[in-house]
PDB file of all heavy atoms in Angstrom:
ATOM      1  N   LEU A   1     -19.051  -3.957 -30.348  1.00  0.00           N
ATOM      2  CA  LEU A   1     -18.518  -2.831 -30.988  1.00  0.00           C
ATOM      3  C   LEU A   1     -17.059  -3.016 -31.412  1.00  0.00           C
ATOM      4  O   LEU A   1     -16.679  -2.498 -32.514  1.00  0.00           O
ATOM      5  CB  LEU A   1     -18.619  -1.630 -30.074  1.00  0.00           C
ATOM      6  CG  LEU A   1     -19.978  -1.056 -29.790  1.00  0.00           C
ATOM      7  CD1 LEU A   1     -19.910   0.145 -28.659  1.00  0.00           C
ATOM      8  CD2 LEU A   1     -20.618  -0.525 -31.023  1.00  0.00           C
ATOM      9  N   SER A   2     -16.234  -3.803 -30.730  1.00  0.00           N
ATOM     10  CA  SER A   2     -14.812  -3.933 -31.037  1.00  0.00           C
ATOM     11  C   SER A   2     -14.508  -5.048 -31.888  1.00  0.00           C
ATOM     12  O   SER A   2     -13.592  -5.029 -32.709  1.00  0.00           O
ATOM     13  CB  SER A   2     -14.089  -3.977 -29.713  1.00  0.00           C
ATOM     14  OG  SER A   2     -14.466  -5.171 -29.017  1.00  0.00           O
ATOM     15  N   ARG A   3     -15.291  -6.176 -31.766  1.00  0.00           N
ATOM     16  CA  ARG A   3     -14.943  -7.349 -32.567  1.00  0.00           C
ATOM     17  C   ARG A   3     -15.811  -7.548 -33.760  1.00  0.00           C
ATOM     18  O   ARG A   3     -15.441  -8.499 -34.574  1.00  0.00           O
ATOM     19  CB  ARG A   3     -15.050  -8.609 -31.598  1.00  0.00           C
ATOM     20  CG  ARG A   3     -14.100  -8.520 -30.440  1.00  0.00           C
ATOM     21  CD  ARG A   3     -14.117  -9.810 -29.626  1.00  0.00           C
ATOM     22  NE  ARG A   3     -13.192  -9.827 -28.540  1.00  0.00           N
ATOM     23  CZ  ARG A   3     -13.076 -10.797 -27.654  1.00  0.00           C
ATOM     24  NH1 ARG A   3     -13.778 -11.889 -27.819  1.00  0.00           N
ATOM     25  NH2 ARG A   3     -12.239 -10.688 -26.591  1.00  0.00           N
ATOM     26  N   HIS A   4     -16.874  -6.879 -33.889  1.00  0.00           N
ATOM     27  CA  HIS A   4     -17.824  -6.976 -34.997  1.00  0.00           C
ATOM     28  C   HIS A   4     -17.981  -5.719 -35.775  1.00  0.00           C
ATOM     29  O   HIS A   4     -17.921  -4.603 -35.188  1.00  0.00           O
ATOM     30  CB  HIS A   4     -19.186  -7.520 -34.563  1.00  0.00           C
ATOM     31  CG  HIS A   4     -19.185  -8.880 -33.929  1.00  0.00           C
ATOM     32  ND1 HIS A   4     -19.243 -10.090 -34.575  1.00  0.00           N
ATOM     33  CD2 HIS A   4     -18.950  -9.158 -32.571  1.00  0.00           C
ATOM     34  CE1 HIS A   4     -19.181 -11.049 -33.681  1.00  0.00           C
ATOM     35  NE2 HIS A   4     -19.017 -10.532 -32.508  1.00  0.00           N
ATOM     36  N   ARG A   5     -18.219  -5.845 -37.050  1.00  0.00           N
ATOM     37  CA  ARG A   5     -18.435  -4.631 -37.816  1.00  0.00           C
ATOM     38  C   ARG A   5     -19.842  -4.060 -37.443  1.00  0.00           C
ATOM     39  O   ARG A   5     -20.737  -4.806 -37.182  1.00  0.00           O
ATOM     40  CB  ARG A   5     -18.431  -4.997 -39.320  1.00  0.00           C
ATOM     41  CG  ARG A   5     -18.498  -3.781 -40.292  1.00  0.00           C
ATOM     42  CD  ARG A   5     -17.945  -4.265 -41.646  1.00  0.00           C
ATOM     43  NE  ARG A   5     -18.765  -5.359 -42.090  1.00  0.00           N
ATOM     44  CZ  ARG A   5     -19.901  -5.292 -42.885  1.00  0.00           C
ATOM     45  NH1 ARG A   5     -20.399  -4.157 -43.251  1.00  0.00           N
ATOM     46  NH2 ARG A   5     -20.553  -6.449 -43.288  1.00  0.00           N
ATOM     47  N   LEU A   6     -19.887  -2.680 -37.334  1.00  0.00           N
ATOM     48  CA  LEU A   6     -21.107  -2.043 -36.914  1.00  0.00           C
ATOM     49  C   LEU A   6     -22.065  -2.003 -38.127  1.00  0.00           C
ATOM     50  O   LEU A   6     -21.962  -1.170 -39.032  1.00  0.00           O
ATOM     51  CB  LEU A   6     -20.852  -0.643 -36.503  1.00  0.00           C
ATOM     52  CG  LEU A   6     -22.052   0.200 -35.938  1.00  0.00           C
ATOM     53  CD1 LEU A   6     -22.636  -0.578 -34.760  1.00  0.00           C
ATOM     54  CD2 LEU A   6     -21.685   1.540 -35.561  1.00  0.00           C
ATOM     55  N   VAL A   7     -22.994  -2.914 -38.136  1.00  0.00           N
ATOM     56  CA  VAL A   7     -23.984  -3.086 -39.269  1.00  0.00           C
ATOM     57  C   VAL A   7     -25.226  -2.657 -38.698  1.00  0.00           C
ATOM     58  O   VAL A   7     -25.433  -2.380 -37.424  1.00  0.00           O
ATOM     59  CB  VAL A   7     -24.100  -4.516 -39.796  1.00  0.00           C
ATOM     60  CG1 VAL A   7     -22.823  -4.917 -40.509  1.00  0.00           C
ATOM     61  CG2 VAL A   7     -24.314  -5.443 -38.633  1.00  0.00           C
ATOM     62  N   PHE A   8     -26.248  -2.542 -39.585  1.00  0.00           N
ATOM     63  CA  PHE A   8     -27.529  -2.020 -39.166  1.00  0.00           C
ATOM     64  C   PHE A   8     -28.208  -2.755 -38.068  1.00  0.00           C
ATOM     65  O   PHE A   8     -28.742  -2.100 -37.049  1.00  0.00           O
ATOM     66  CB  PHE A   8     -28.517  -1.959 -40.343  1.00  0.00           C
ATOM     67  CG  PHE A   8     -29.868  -1.434 -40.113  1.00  0.00           C
ATOM     68  CD1 PHE A   8     -30.065  -0.046 -39.782  1.00  0.00           C
ATOM     69  CD2 PHE A   8     -31.034  -2.212 -40.137  1.00  0.00           C
ATOM     70  CE1 PHE A   8     -31.283   0.449 -39.525  1.00  0.00           C
ATOM     71  CE2 PHE A   8     -32.295  -1.779 -39.813  1.00  0.00           C
ATOM     72  CZ  PHE A   8     -32.413  -0.412 -39.560  1.00  0.00           C
ATOM     73  N   PRO A   9     -28.316  -4.036 -38.020  1.00  0.00           N
ATOM     74  CA  PRO A   9     -28.922  -4.744 -36.863  1.00  0.00           C
ATOM     75  C   PRO A   9     -28.260  -4.442 -35.476  1.00  0.00           C
ATOM     76  O   PRO A   9     -28.880  -4.240 -34.517  1.00  0.00           O
ATOM     77  CB  PRO A   9     -28.754  -6.263 -37.180  1.00  0.00           C
ATOM     78  CG  PRO A   9     -28.692  -6.279 -38.656  1.00  0.00           C
ATOM     79  CD  PRO A   9     -27.955  -5.002 -39.096  1.00  0.00           C
ATOM     80  N   THR A  10     -26.917  -4.259 -35.572  1.00  0.00           N
ATOM     81  CA  THR A  10     -26.213  -3.931 -34.327  1.00  0.00           C
ATOM     82  C   THR A  10     -26.548  -2.501 -33.875  1.00  0.00           C
ATOM     83  O   THR A  10     -26.766  -2.314 -32.652  1.00  0.00           O
ATOM     84  CB  THR A  10     -24.632  -4.018 -34.524  1.00  0.00           C
ATOM     85  OG1 THR A  10     -24.325  -5.348 -35.002  1.00  0.00           O
ATOM     86  CG2 THR A  10     -23.912  -3.807 -33.200  1.00  0.00           C
ATOM     87  N   ALA A  11     -26.699  -1.633 -34.822  1.00  0.00           N
ATOM     88  CA  ALA A  11     -27.102  -0.245 -34.445  1.00  0.00           C
ATOM     89  C   ALA A  11     -28.474  -0.277 -33.890  1.00  0.00           C
ATOM     90  O   ALA A  11     -28.781   0.468 -32.885  1.00  0.00           O
ATOM     91  CB  ALA A  11     -27.101   0.644 -35.755  1.00  0.00           C
ATOM     92  N   VAL A  12     -29.427  -1.023 -34.424  1.00  0.00           N
ATOM     93  CA  VAL A  12     -30.760  -1.256 -33.848  1.00  0.00           C
ATOM     94  C   VAL A  12     -30.704  -1.788 -32.436  1.00  0.00           C
ATOM     95  O   VAL A  12     -31.526  -1.384 -31.502  1.00  0.00           O
ATOM     96  CB  VAL A  12     -31.628  -2.127 -34.816  1.00  0.00           C
ATOM     97  CG1 VAL A  12     -32.972  -2.383 -34.139  1.00  0.00           C
ATOM     98  CG2 VAL A  12     -31.822  -1.401 -36.130  1.00  0.00           C
ATOM     99  N   TYR A  13     -29.849  -2.757 -32.230  1.00  0.00           N
ATOM    100  CA  TYR A  13     -29.680  -3.332 -30.890  1.00  0.00           C
ATOM    101  C   TYR A  13     -29.343  -2.226 -29.878  1.00  0.00           C
ATOM    102  O   TYR A  13     -29.982  -2.192 -28.797  1.00  0.00           O
ATOM    103  CB  TYR A  13     -28.599  -4.433 -30.876  1.00  0.00           C
ATOM    104  CG  TYR A  13     -28.112  -4.899 -29.635  1.00  0.00           C
ATOM    105  CD1 TYR A  13     -28.779  -5.700 -28.817  1.00  0.00           C
ATOM    106  CD2 TYR A  13     -26.870  -4.354 -29.094  1.00  0.00           C
ATOM    107  CE1 TYR A  13     -28.322  -6.153 -27.563  1.00  0.00           C
ATOM    108  CE2 TYR A  13     -26.379  -4.662 -27.873  1.00  0.00           C
ATOM    109  CZ  TYR A  13     -27.034  -5.673 -27.104  1.00  0.00           C
ATOM    110  OH  TYR A  13     -26.609  -5.953 -25.915  1.00  0.00           O
ATOM    111  N   PHE A  14     -28.368  -1.428 -30.201  1.00  0.00           N
ATOM    112  CA  PHE A  14     -27.932  -0.415 -29.178  1.00  0.00           C
ATOM    113  C   PHE A  14     -29.010   0.682 -29.031  1.00  0.00           C
ATOM    114  O   PHE A  14     -29.223   1.217 -27.977  1.00  0.00           O
ATOM    115  CB  PHE A  14     -26.647   0.215 -29.650  1.00  0.00           C
ATOM    116  CG  PHE A  14     -25.426  -0.641 -29.348  1.00  0.00           C
ATOM    117  CD1 PHE A  14     -24.776  -1.283 -30.348  1.00  0.00           C
ATOM    118  CD2 PHE A  14     -25.035  -0.835 -28.052  1.00  0.00           C
ATOM    119  CE1 PHE A  14     -23.698  -2.093 -30.012  1.00  0.00           C
ATOM    120  CE2 PHE A  14     -23.881  -1.585 -27.734  1.00  0.00           C
ATOM    121  CZ  PHE A  14     -23.231  -2.241 -28.780  1.00  0.00           C
ATOM    122  N   ALA A  15     -29.739   0.930 -30.104  1.00  0.00           N
ATOM    123  CA  ALA A  15     -30.835   1.913 -29.957  1.00  0.00           C
ATOM    124  C   ALA A  15     -31.891   1.348 -29.057  1.00  0.00           C
ATOM    125  O   ALA A  15     -32.559   2.134 -28.305  1.00  0.00           O
ATOM    126  CB  ALA A  15     -31.380   2.206 -31.395  1.00  0.00           C
ATOM    127  N   ALA A  16     -32.179   0.044 -29.238  1.00  0.00           N
ATOM    128  CA  ALA A  16     -33.198  -0.592 -28.379  1.00  0.00           C
ATOM    129  C   ALA A  16     -32.758  -0.543 -26.887  1.00  0.00           C
ATOM    130  O   ALA A  16     -33.584  -0.261 -26.018  1.00  0.00           O
ATOM    131  CB  ALA A  16     -33.509  -2.039 -28.838  1.00  0.00           C
ATOM    132  N   ARG A  17     -31.465  -0.864 -26.732  1.00  0.00           N
ATOM    133  CA  ARG A  17     -30.948  -0.867 -25.297  1.00  0.00           C
ATOM    134  C   ARG A  17     -31.063   0.458 -24.641  1.00  0.00           C
ATOM    135  O   ARG A  17     -31.553   0.646 -23.482  1.00  0.00           O
ATOM    136  CB  ARG A  17     -29.549  -1.362 -25.327  1.00  0.00           C
ATOM    137  CG  ARG A  17     -29.337  -2.768 -25.775  1.00  0.00           C
ATOM    138  CD  ARG A  17     -29.703  -3.804 -24.729  1.00  0.00           C
ATOM    139  NE  ARG A  17     -28.595  -3.866 -23.738  1.00  0.00           N
ATOM    140  CZ  ARG A  17     -28.798  -4.540 -22.577  1.00  0.00           C
ATOM    141  NH1 ARG A  17     -29.918  -5.072 -22.283  1.00  0.00           N
ATOM    142  NH2 ARG A  17     -27.778  -4.583 -21.719  1.00  0.00           N
ATOM    143  N   LEU A  18     -30.593   1.504 -25.378  1.00  0.00           N
ATOM    144  CA  LEU A  18     -30.469   2.872 -24.791  1.00  0.00           C
ATOM    145  C   LEU A  18     -31.992   3.466 -24.573  1.00  0.00           C
ATOM    146  O   LEU A  18     -32.213   4.066 -23.561  1.00  0.00           O
ATOM    147  CB  LEU A  18     -29.657   3.745 -25.673  1.00  0.00           C
ATOM    148  CG  LEU A  18     -28.252   3.382 -25.732  1.00  0.00           C
ATOM    149  CD1 LEU A  18     -27.421   4.213 -26.713  1.00  0.00           C
ATOM    150  CD2 LEU A  18     -27.523   3.560 -24.372  1.00  0.00           C
ATOM    151  N   SER A  19     -32.883   3.202 -25.552  1.00  0.00           N
ATOM    152  CA  SER A  19     -34.147   3.835 -25.486  1.00  0.00           C
ATOM    153  C   SER A  19     -34.996   3.128 -24.394  1.00  0.00           C
ATOM    154  O   SER A  19     -35.672   3.777 -23.639  1.00  0.00           O
ATOM    155  CB  SER A  19     -34.886   3.590 -26.807  1.00  0.00           C
ATOM    156  OG  SER A  19     -34.945   2.338 -27.209  1.00  0.00           O
ATOM    157  N   ALA A  20     -34.813   1.773 -24.214  1.00  0.00           N
ATOM    158  CA  ALA A  20     -35.447   1.121 -23.049  1.00  0.00           C
ATOM    159  C   ALA A  20     -34.986   1.653 -21.732  1.00  0.00           C
ATOM    160  O   ALA A  20     -35.769   1.856 -20.814  1.00  0.00           O
ATOM    161  CB  ALA A  20     -35.284  -0.351 -23.184  1.00  0.00           C
ATOM    162  N   PHE A  21     -33.605   1.793 -21.598  1.00  0.00           N
ATOM    163  CA  PHE A  21     -33.105   2.306 -20.282  1.00  0.00           C
ATOM    164  C   PHE A  21     -33.568   3.690 -20.059  1.00  0.00           C
ATOM    165  O   PHE A  21     -33.903   4.039 -18.889  1.00  0.00           O
ATOM    166  CB  PHE A  21     -31.617   2.308 -20.373  1.00  0.00           C
ATOM    167  CG  PHE A  21     -30.938   2.754 -19.125  1.00  0.00           C
ATOM    168  CD1 PHE A  21     -30.974   1.972 -17.956  1.00  0.00           C
ATOM    169  CD2 PHE A  21     -30.203   3.985 -19.145  1.00  0.00           C
ATOM    170  CE1 PHE A  21     -30.402   2.426 -16.757  1.00  0.00           C
ATOM    171  CE2 PHE A  21     -29.642   4.440 -17.869  1.00  0.00           C
ATOM    172  CZ  PHE A  21     -29.751   3.677 -16.770  1.00  0.00           C
ATOM    173  N   ALA A  22     -33.663   4.540 -21.124  1.00  0.00           N
ATOM    174  CA  ALA A  22     -34.150   5.934 -21.041  1.00  0.00           C
ATOM    175  C   ALA A  22     -35.607   5.889 -20.564  1.00  0.00           C
ATOM    176  O   ALA A  22     -36.008   6.692 -19.677  1.00  0.00           O
ATOM    177  CB  ALA A  22     -34.007   6.711 -22.259  1.00  0.00           C
ATOM    178  N   PHE A  23     -36.371   5.063 -21.120  1.00  0.00           N
ATOM    179  CA  PHE A  23     -37.850   4.922 -20.713  1.00  0.00           C
ATOM    180  C   PHE A  23     -37.980   4.575 -19.246  1.00  0.00           C
ATOM    181  O   PHE A  23     -38.732   5.201 -18.505  1.00  0.00           O
ATOM    182  CB  PHE A  23     -38.526   3.915 -21.579  1.00  0.00           C
ATOM    183  CG  PHE A  23     -39.907   3.635 -21.175  1.00  0.00           C
ATOM    184  CD1 PHE A  23     -40.904   4.578 -21.202  1.00  0.00           C
ATOM    185  CD2 PHE A  23     -40.275   2.304 -20.797  1.00  0.00           C
ATOM    186  CE1 PHE A  23     -42.195   4.314 -20.763  1.00  0.00           C
ATOM    187  CE2 PHE A  23     -41.542   2.102 -20.358  1.00  0.00           C
ATOM    188  CZ  PHE A  23     -42.558   3.062 -20.321  1.00  0.00           C
ATOM    189  N   VAL A  24     -37.185   3.572 -18.793  1.00  0.00           N
ATOM    190  CA  VAL A  24     -37.375   3.158 -17.392  1.00  0.00           C
ATOM    191  C   VAL A  24     -36.833   4.281 -16.470  1.00  0.00           C
ATOM    192  O   VAL A  24     -37.452   4.526 -15.452  1.00  0.00           O
ATOM    193  CB  VAL A  24     -36.479   1.911 -17.190  1.00  0.00           C
ATOM    194  CG1 VAL A  24     -36.436   1.491 -15.670  1.00  0.00           C
ATOM    195  CG2 VAL A  24     -37.061   0.712 -18.046  1.00  0.00           C
ATOM    196  N   LEU A  25     -35.735   4.834 -16.812  1.00  0.00           N
ATOM    197  CA  LEU A  25     -35.204   5.896 -15.938  1.00  0.00           C
ATOM    198  C   LEU A  25     -36.108   7.120 -15.898  1.00  0.00           C
ATOM    199  O   LEU A  25     -36.401   7.666 -14.781  1.00  0.00           O
ATOM    200  CB  LEU A  25     -33.789   6.380 -16.554  1.00  0.00           C
ATOM    201  CG  LEU A  25     -33.025   7.387 -15.680  1.00  0.00           C
ATOM    202  CD1 LEU A  25     -32.715   6.914 -14.282  1.00  0.00           C
ATOM    203  CD2 LEU A  25     -31.787   7.830 -16.392  1.00  0.00           C
ATOM    204  N   LEU A  26     -36.637   7.578 -17.019  1.00  0.00           N
ATOM    205  CA  LEU A  26     -37.611   8.720 -17.042  1.00  0.00           C
ATOM    206  C   LEU A  26     -38.931   8.349 -16.241  1.00  0.00           C
ATOM    207  O   LEU A  26     -39.510   9.245 -15.664  1.00  0.00           O
ATOM    208  CB  LEU A  26     -37.838   9.094 -18.480  1.00  0.00           C
ATOM    209  CG  LEU A  26     -36.796   9.829 -19.251  1.00  0.00           C
ATOM    210  CD1 LEU A  26     -37.159  10.169 -20.673  1.00  0.00           C
ATOM    211  CD2 LEU A  26     -36.388  11.155 -18.523  1.00  0.00           C
ATOM    212  N   SER A  27     -39.370   7.148 -16.375  1.00  0.00           N
ATOM    213  CA  SER A  27     -40.537   6.711 -15.663  1.00  0.00           C
ATOM    214  C   SER A  27     -40.255   6.817 -14.173  1.00  0.00           C
ATOM    215  O   SER A  27     -41.204   7.179 -13.392  1.00  0.00           O
ATOM    216  CB  SER A  27     -40.868   5.278 -16.102  1.00  0.00           C
ATOM    217  OG  SER A  27     -41.237   5.182 -17.468  1.00  0.00           O
ATOM    218  N   ALA A  28     -39.114   6.403 -13.679  1.00  0.00           N
ATOM    219  CA  ALA A  28     -38.752   6.482 -12.296  1.00  0.00           C
ATOM    220  C   ALA A  28     -38.717   7.963 -11.795  1.00  0.00           C
ATOM    221  O   ALA A  28     -39.244   8.292 -10.825  1.00  0.00           O
ATOM    222  CB  ALA A  28     -37.446   5.856 -12.018  1.00  0.00           C
ATOM    223  N   VAL A  29     -38.154   8.810 -12.678  1.00  0.00           N
ATOM    224  CA  VAL A  29     -38.197  10.282 -12.293  1.00  0.00           C
ATOM    225  C   VAL A  29     -39.566  10.836 -12.315  1.00  0.00           C
ATOM    226  O   VAL A  29     -39.917  11.563 -11.351  1.00  0.00           O
ATOM    227  CB  VAL A  29     -37.230  11.038 -13.355  1.00  0.00           C
ATOM    228  CG1 VAL A  29     -37.375  12.550 -13.118  1.00  0.00           C
ATOM    229  CG2 VAL A  29     -35.789  10.574 -13.255  1.00  0.00           C
ATOM    230  N   TYR A  30     -40.391  10.420 -13.286  1.00  0.00           N
ATOM    231  CA  TYR A  30     -41.691  10.976 -13.345  1.00  0.00           C
ATOM    232  C   TYR A  30     -42.547  10.573 -12.155  1.00  0.00           C
ATOM    233  O   TYR A  30     -43.354  11.299 -11.582  1.00  0.00           O
ATOM    234  CB  TYR A  30     -42.367  10.405 -14.632  1.00  0.00           C
ATOM    235  CG  TYR A  30     -43.867  10.598 -14.714  1.00  0.00           C
ATOM    236  CD1 TYR A  30     -44.383  11.867 -15.054  1.00  0.00           C
ATOM    237  CD2 TYR A  30     -44.791   9.578 -14.508  1.00  0.00           C
ATOM    238  CE1 TYR A  30     -45.732  12.080 -15.107  1.00  0.00           C
ATOM    239  CE2 TYR A  30     -46.109   9.796 -14.578  1.00  0.00           C
ATOM    240  CZ  TYR A  30     -46.613  11.095 -14.859  1.00  0.00           C
ATOM    241  OH  TYR A  30     -47.929  11.300 -14.943  1.00  0.00           O
ATOM    242  N   LYS A  31     -42.290   9.279 -11.586  1.00  0.00           N
ATOM    243  CA  LYS A  31     -43.120   8.771 -10.501  1.00  0.00           C
ATOM    244  C   LYS A  31     -42.636   9.333  -9.155  1.00  0.00           C
ATOM    245  O   LYS A  31     -43.350   9.479  -8.191  1.00  0.00           O
ATOM    246  CB  LYS A  31     -43.022   7.285 -10.443  1.00  0.00           C
ATOM    247  CG  LYS A  31     -43.797   6.571 -11.526  1.00  0.00           C
ATOM    248  CD  LYS A  31     -45.324   6.658 -11.371  1.00  0.00           C
ATOM    249  CE  LYS A  31     -46.082   5.811 -12.374  1.00  0.00           C
ATOM    250  NZ  LYS A  31     -47.581   5.852 -12.182  1.00  0.00           N
ATOM    251  N   THR A  32     -41.320   9.670  -9.035  1.00  0.00           N
ATOM    252  CA  THR A  32     -40.700   9.953  -7.771  1.00  0.00           C
ATOM    253  C   THR A  32     -40.234  11.355  -7.561  1.00  0.00           C
ATOM    254  O   THR A  32     -40.021  11.807  -6.361  1.00  0.00           O
ATOM    255  CB  THR A  32     -39.514   9.067  -7.499  1.00  0.00           C
ATOM    256  OG1 THR A  32     -38.565   9.279  -8.517  1.00  0.00           O
ATOM    257  CG2 THR A  32     -40.003   7.550  -7.565  1.00  0.00           C
ATOM    258  N   MET A  33     -40.191  12.245  -8.566  1.00  0.00           N
ATOM    259  CA  MET A  33     -39.632  13.544  -8.472  1.00  0.00           C
ATOM    260  C   MET A  33     -40.674  14.585  -8.832  1.00  0.00           C
ATOM    261  O   MET A  33     -41.575  14.361  -9.632  1.00  0.00           O
ATOM    262  CB  MET A  33     -38.411  13.685  -9.418  1.00  0.00           C
ATOM    263  CG  MET A  33     -37.328  12.672  -9.062  1.00  0.00           C
ATOM    264  SD  MET A  33     -36.526  13.039  -7.490  1.00  0.00           S
ATOM    265  CE  MET A  33     -35.697  14.633  -7.849  1.00  0.00           C
ATOM    266  N   PRO A  34     -40.474  15.858  -8.333  1.00  0.00           N
ATOM    267  CA  PRO A  34     -41.431  16.949  -8.650  1.00  0.00           C
ATOM    268  C   PRO A  34     -41.072  17.490  -9.999  1.00  0.00           C
ATOM    269  O   PRO A  34     -40.204  18.368 -10.145  1.00  0.00           O
ATOM    270  CB  PRO A  34     -41.188  18.003  -7.538  1.00  0.00           C
ATOM    271  CG  PRO A  34     -39.851  17.672  -7.088  1.00  0.00           C
ATOM    272  CD  PRO A  34     -39.577  16.229  -7.272  1.00  0.00           C
ATOM    273  N   VAL A  35     -41.629  17.014 -11.139  1.00  0.00           N
ATOM    274  CA  VAL A  35     -41.231  17.422 -12.453  1.00  0.00           C
ATOM    275  C   VAL A  35     -42.017  18.662 -12.940  1.00  0.00           C
ATOM    276  O   VAL A  35     -41.608  19.234 -13.989  1.00  0.00           O
ATOM    277  CB  VAL A  35     -41.482  16.231 -13.459  1.00  0.00           C
ATOM    278  CG1 VAL A  35     -40.580  15.077 -13.068  1.00  0.00           C
ATOM    279  CG2 VAL A  35     -42.908  15.894 -13.477  1.00  0.00           C
ATOM    280  N   LYS A  36     -43.064  19.004 -12.198  1.00  0.00           N
ATOM    281  CA  LYS A  36     -43.882  20.235 -12.535  1.00  0.00           C
ATOM    282  C   LYS A  36     -44.672  20.211 -13.718  1.00  0.00           C
ATOM    283  O   LYS A  36     -45.846  20.195 -13.766  1.00  0.00           O
ATOM    284  CB  LYS A  36     -42.914  21.467 -12.519  1.00  0.00           C
ATOM    285  CG  LYS A  36     -43.623  22.854 -12.535  1.00  0.00           C
ATOM    286  CD  LYS A  36     -42.719  23.961 -12.365  1.00  0.00           C
ATOM    287  CE  LYS A  36     -43.510  25.285 -12.387  1.00  0.00           C
ATOM    288  NZ  LYS A  36     -42.562  26.507 -12.205  1.00  0.00           N
ATOM    289  N   HIS A  37     -44.001  20.038 -14.915  1.00  0.00           N
ATOM    290  CA  HIS A  37     -44.770  20.100 -16.236  1.00  0.00           C
ATOM    291  C   HIS A  37     -45.164  18.600 -16.515  1.00  0.00           C
ATOM    292  O   HIS A  37     -44.529  17.951 -17.301  1.00  0.00           O
ATOM    293  CB  HIS A  37     -43.866  20.674 -17.357  1.00  0.00           C
ATOM    294  CG  HIS A  37     -43.402  22.017 -17.029  1.00  0.00           C
ATOM    295  ND1 HIS A  37     -44.209  23.102 -17.053  1.00  0.00           N
ATOM    296  CD2 HIS A  37     -42.150  22.475 -16.741  1.00  0.00           C
ATOM    297  CE1 HIS A  37     -43.540  24.264 -16.774  1.00  0.00           C
ATOM    298  NE2 HIS A  37     -42.290  23.863 -16.565  1.00  0.00           N
ATOM    299  N   CYS A  38     -46.271  18.271 -15.888  1.00  0.00           N
ATOM    300  CA  CYS A  38     -46.628  16.871 -15.920  1.00  0.00           C
ATOM    301  C   CYS A  38     -46.953  16.250 -17.312  1.00  0.00           C
ATOM    302  O   CYS A  38     -46.402  15.209 -17.730  1.00  0.00           O
ATOM    303  CB  CYS A  38     -47.833  16.622 -15.005  1.00  0.00           C
ATOM    304  SG  CYS A  38     -47.545  16.915 -13.267  1.00  0.00           S
ATOM    305  N   THR A  39     -47.789  16.963 -18.029  1.00  0.00           N
ATOM    306  CA  THR A  39     -48.156  16.481 -19.369  1.00  0.00           C
ATOM    307  C   THR A  39     -46.999  16.351 -20.362  1.00  0.00           C
ATOM    308  O   THR A  39     -46.792  15.356 -21.016  1.00  0.00           O
ATOM    309  CB  THR A  39     -49.289  17.327 -19.996  1.00  0.00           C
ATOM    310  OG1 THR A  39     -50.455  17.373 -19.141  1.00  0.00           O
ATOM    311  CG2 THR A  39     -49.676  16.853 -21.382  1.00  0.00           C
TER     312      THR A  39
END
């Protein structure tokens, strides 16, 4: 972010990183917590 210009591939990289982390985190919550609205 600081040393390179923010171009489209870099934006895709950060979108991939954040979405994957969100998926893993939500999967852990879904498996271990009482979320109630399952579907």
Side-chain angles (χ1 to χ4, degrees):
L1 289 175
S2 61
R3 298 184 180 181
H4 299 270
R5 189 162 53 94
L6 184 60
V7 293
F8 181 67
T10 305
V12 173
Y13 165 81
F14 282 106
R17 296 282 284 167
L18 293 176
S19 58
F21 181 71
F23 172 62
V24 174
L25 184 62
L26 289 177
S27 296
V29 172
Y30 171 76
K31 290 286 188 180
T32 61
M33 300 293 291
V35 299
K36 190 174 182 178
H37 303 288
C38 295
T39 300

